[in-house]
Amino acid sequence: MSGNGDAAATAEENSSKMRVIRVGTRKSQLARIQTDSVVATLKTLYPGLQFEIIAMSTTGDKILDTALSKIGEKSLFTKELEHALERNEVDLVVHSLKDLPTVLPPGFTIGAICKRESPYDAVVFHPKFVGKTLETLPEKSVVGTSSLRRAAQLQRKFPHLEFKSIRGNLNTRLRKLDELQEFSAIILAAAGLQRMGWQNRVGQILHPEECMYAVGQGALGVEVRAKDQDILDLVGVLHDPETLLRCIAERAFLRHLEGGCSVPVAVHTAMKDGQLYLTGGVWSLNGADSMQETMQATIHVPAQHEDGPEDDPQLVGITAWNIPRRAQLAAESLGISLATLLLNKGAKNILDVARQLNDAH
């Protein structure tokens, strides 16, 4: 390398020592693993930058004796992290995308959606039931899940089982399953088990015909300050185009339905030959009433950005400068169209009743 090159490298080194990017995360082991994976990718992309991880507890981590759907707070796992972003204590926060509401507080945006891992739900069985499936579990077996969405769909599909709320992080739930003799099985997101390296505990993967997944499940979202262009540029390269477009459609569907974790709403998306397929459904709490439909739209997964900048780039809380706007709008429109179709067929009544029953219990 020439003398000038050495000087430039030294200057870059010195300037990079001054730049530390602070990354916020929840304290759970899974949250740390997810954040570490995003930071590792950023370190590879930006070897000149330093990254500091700051872990904190959220409301959802602290309230462990109440079902998520009863707490009535949309930002259970995000609020404290957003406060840290607002106060400039961190520069970006890594979340499970399914924890991020479809409407973010003013001043925040999702600056990156990373490539999705398996979006499906998985069944982990008590050691004495290893080798079974939900179908072959004994009558009145108790299955633990923290999700109304899972319970509603599975009650409908497996009426011989009983479903009971189970809270806590993955470690806590697995311990409750193995030690308490209360549950025959528990339902967890397959992606979380994969990230923890616990694939060997998965006894059954639930496919969409058995249990459709939560909006954004299996994907990680990076939340940043909406006006922090430096950080938006930094994390924007993490966007996975297919995951982004699928999740825009899913989030638009949920937002237009005005669903949340207090009502059973589920989705399934697929991208094939330039077509984005979106299946969405709503259920009553006990699964007896349900409605689901599928729609598709032509969306070409882009190789690179081809449109000019927008005044308000956000769609369902997401900013993606480097993905063509037309593709994003088509995905959003698909989600809204499917939600409108279900609402026109009476989905609002199912959701209203589910919400009232959930609030009453």
Side-chain angles (χ1 to χ4, degrees), residues 8-21 43 46-52:
T10 308
E12 188 189 343
E13 246 177 62
N14 290 340
S15 67
S16 71
K17 277 177 190 161
M18 293 153 45
R19 187 79 202 265
V20 177
I21 307 296
K43 278 181 174 171
Y46 304 105
L49 295 178
Q50 291 183 357
F51 293 86
E52 178 189 353

Side-chain angles (χ1 to χ4, degrees), residues 102-128:
T102 55
V103 180
L104 297 184
F108 302 109
T109 190
I110 300 164
I113 295 179
C114 307
K115 188 172 175 59
R116 190 176 218 163
E117 292 190 43
S118 169
Y120 301 117
D121 290 315
V123 189
V124 179
F125 292 92
H126 186 281
K128 71 181 177 192

Side-chain angles (χ1 to χ4, degrees), residues 153 228 295:
Q153 292 182 81
D228 193 340
M295 292 180 83

Side-chain angles (χ1 to χ4, degrees), residues 231-242:
I231 299 294
L232 270 168
D233 291 342
L234 185 88
V235 302
V237 295
L238 298 174
H239 271 306
D240 176 69
E242 181 176 316

Side-chain angles (χ1 to χ4, degrees), residues 25 31 56 80 87 109 148 162 186 193 195 209 257 329:
T25 178
M56 55 194 85
E80 285 77 4
R87 293 191 298 262
T109 190
L148 293 179
E162 293 181 0
I186 58 176
L193 290 163
R195 289 175 186 137
E209 56 276 9
L257 278 180
L329 288 168

Side-chain angles (χ1 to χ4, degrees), residues 17 26 41 65 128 186 245 249 257 264 267 275 301 314 320 329:
K17 277 177 190 161
R26 288 166 62 196
T41 305
D65 56 352
K128 71 181 177 192
I186 58 176
L245 295 170
L257 278 180
V267 293
Q275 296 289 310
V301 178
Q314 282 203 47
L329 288 168

Side-chain angles (χ1 to χ4, degrees), residues 283-296:
W283 287 261
S284 58
L285 289 190
N286 64 1
D289 287 334
S290 77
M291 189 178 291
Q292 66 185 67
E293 292 287 347
T294 302
M295 292 180 83
Q296 69 192 78

